[in-house]
Amino acid sequence: MKQEKKSYVKPTIVRHSVGVTNKYGRPPATVPMSRLNGFDVKELVNEYGSPLYVLSVEQLRQNYQDMFRAFSTRYPGARIAYSYKTNYLKAVCSILHSEGALAEVVSGFEYDIARNLAMPGEKIIFNGPYKTRDELARAFTDGAMVNIDNYDEIQVCEEVADELGRKFPVGVRVNMDLNNPPWHKFGFNVEAGHAYEAVKRIQSGGKLDVKGLHIHVGTYVDDVNIYSMAAQGLVNFYTVIKEQLGIKLKYWDMGGGYASHNTLNWAWQSAEYTCPTFDQYAEAICPILLKGPFQAAEAPRLFLEPGRALVDEPISMITTVVSQKRLPGGKRGVIVDAGMNVLSSVQWYNYNCQTVQDSGLTLEDTILYGGLCMNIDVLRQNAVLPPLRRGELLVIPHIGAYNLSQSWQFIYLRPAVIAIDNGKIHLIKASETREYVQEMESVPKEFNTYSIANKN
Amino acid sequence: MSLNVAITGLHAADNPAPGLGVIRCLHHPKKWDGKIIGLAYDVLDTGIYDEGLLDHAYLIPYPNTGSKAFLERLQYIHQQEQIDVIIPTLDSELTVFQKIAPELKSLGIATFIPPKHITDRISKSQLAEFCESENIPYPETIVIKDPGELKAAVKKIGFPLMIKGVYYEAYTCKSMEDVHQYFELLRLKWGLPMILQKKLDSEEFDVCCVSDKNGDLLGAVPIRKTRLTDKGKAWAAVTLKNEQLMELSRRILKKLKWSGPCEVEILKDKKTGEYNLIEINPRFPAWIYLSTGADQNLPKMVIELAMDKTVSPMAPAKSGICFVRHATDLVCPMDYIENLTMLGELHYKSSE
Amino acid sequence: MSEIFKSEVTLSENGFLFDHGSGLTYTLNTTGQFIFRQLQSGQKSKQIMEKMLDEFEVIEETARKDLDDFFRQLNELGLIDL
Ligand SMILES: Cc1ncc(COP(=O)(O)O)c(C=O)c1O
């Protein structure tokens, strides 16, 4: 007689300890996320390999539109310049440009990416502490907005202006004592009078013309008051340089730093309660700037340079369990095939981990290890997860910022990136191959005696 | 009218949560008419096992699990028990309740807590600014945002001083060595900013207050703690008649437009005789049961306010009433633990 | 009670396990409970394997590996003597 068999889950026994005894007390990691942006997670991995980065195009566009609406409805003509460093995949930049974003770049390499994507110079903001003479010459010629970071750079810019035989508009990056630690590395300090001196120095040189002010208060700044203080600081500073030096600004730039919906490792509360909305940021900034020393028609253009707030959420990582083990002391360790080399923000973020398959309701405190041969490769010190077997999948959402641009190639090849748009999958970056990784290398003949001897 | 009331903060071990005191107020002078539903975060939250106090106990998710999971669990409990009012009693829950208050309201569950923009003003790092702008006396305070500011701030305030983390913990410092030691400790734990505050040679008073949605004070019980545990928690206290404490509390809550319960901590400077605000806890204190003795049943008042009743100010609290905290052991069968562990709920038979 | 257990154990209907010897408590999932009850009725691992294959939608290789893991864990927790 054939009886209907029961569905099977791996047998588990979990010892009760403080915190584990509240079955409602934990994130719903056990609600399996079998589909991602409408596609079966397993099938995506079968097709494109694991680990795998997955971009939701719709979410990316939505974030851009939300932010643009929040600022442009409060400050007429506000513009978003996407901070390339956060993730400069060509496809990601292109999508944001198609929505209307300008490019914010901090190196010649990034500048080149933007130009290559047909961004005209006047839609590029060139920031950063180190720009070469050639890069500056190119940027000035293209009509890009160059924000000067330090005195040495003033000097180089003037030399470039001399060579090109023209006077160029420039922006000045300033910093203020707003947060901890203050970002004193970049630009000229306002409180100490350095910013005023710099503007004065540029104007008196007669070769450049100060037309912009730039500030970037930090990254993952979830206190909107800091933006309000920065905005007020810009207004005050503009008032001074306008009255005393006759400066008339064309633009001011509030930089990036807007928090995304990830919780920091050391945070006391989940980001859900602490991460401000775009509307809250805009409300903290725009009304203050609009009280600046100008008539409405002469309001400087406002730029924002968001990075993580736009691209963190839209990208997820799929990773595969390679092993589960018991550590001395009884705690469970799970090793997955993605390491911190492709998820470097684990240093900052307490990423969520979702199971893909239904693994039952028994949860256990788990150390989630990355797959690198390095003891420091830990993705989560304490994830609460159901039993997992080799081959099972996990989804780590909201990882789009910095993890790709800061990834490093180490012992494994880096994974592919796919974009899902309107129910269609596009491969936007193939996974690396050994040939690609070694493409720039060469072995002088003299070193090669072993392989030549063993060829035949 | 009989109302079903859900209450959090049921753990009363070495640092008692206020929920149990709130429940005992509701049962005073006679057993509460509706159901009392305990909302607990752990199977071993002690109050669950105090059989006479609760009719039902349910486990709920930690607020950091996310407001969605939190709300869903409350919805489930509401379906079982038809909750009329929830009284949250823990600092760590305030944000989630503020966030889901509209959803709770549409489910027919009332709360009476101040909105976020008001509680933000009394956060440790904002309080000095509030006092400054509203002319409320407070001990000299400097908010440190950068380690580089430490020296100058210490010099300005002088010893002894208090050094406080943004959320929790405070230490007294008598020397620069103390400052460095505790600064590092707090920085590792809570990060910056950090609060430096002059330590006054002073007497400490607490006032448990309830004010309505205009910030008008309706009831207040001022006390002096007469004995503290080594963690600084009250273990004995006495109610007072003190117009200055009342006046200062009234002024503070009106300026804030505070709506709901709170505990106002006030220091009287021994030198100048001035009363200084040091902190406002946005919830009932753990010693709230004392309020019944002072003829001010403040939890019952909060329920009336939550139900949108008009409430008139109470007569001043009776002074000279004391409480002593007394720990006791509760005994229960393993079934209780099993039910909570496996099902996340426990129902006492007496309530059926 | 089977002699494999180190002390008296009570497994409730919903998978809550109390170890009378140590005073510790545990949660078992459905498969864990199934195996545990077999152990309590004195079955040996080979018979338990067969029962598992009868009862659940599972292939032998998986069941064997999981059963091994499970026994190892019970042993580590000090509940049984392998
Ligand atoms: C000048 C500038 N703008 C924008 C950003 C983007 O920052 P975020 O990703 O925090 O928005 C950065 C990042 O460091 C930056 O240096």
Side-chain angles (χ1 to χ4, degrees), chain A residues 16 18-19 21-28 178-182 225 229 268-270 272-273, chain B residues 41-43 59-67 73 95-96 99 145-147 190 192 341-342:
Chain A
H16 297 151
V18 181
T21 41
N22 180 355
K23 62 197 271 184
Y24 299 96
R26 296 301 186 159
L178 303 167
N179 44 346
N180 160 71
N225 291 319
M229 290 189 289
W268 181 63
Q269 283 196 315
S270 135
E272 182 193 346
Y273 307 121
Chain B
Y41 290 101
D42 192 273
V43 170
L59 294 179
I60 55 172
Y62 297 106
N64 275 353
T65 308
S67 62
R73 182 66 179 153
T95 19
V96 69
K99 182 155 185 177
K145 292 183 186 146
D146 181 313
W190 304 110
L192 291 161
T341 309
M342 304 312 293

Side-chain angles (χ1 to χ4, degrees), chain A residues 83 85-86 104 106 127-128 173 183 186 214 216 218-220 255-258 305-309 401-402:
Chain A
S83 171
K85 71 168 82 58
T86 327
E104 187 266 339
V106 290
N127 288 327
R173 173 146 179 186
W183 280 40
F186 308 101
H214 174 235
H216 170 74
T219 190
Y220 200 99
Y258 315 97
E305 300 171 350
R308 66 177 79 242
Y402 299 99

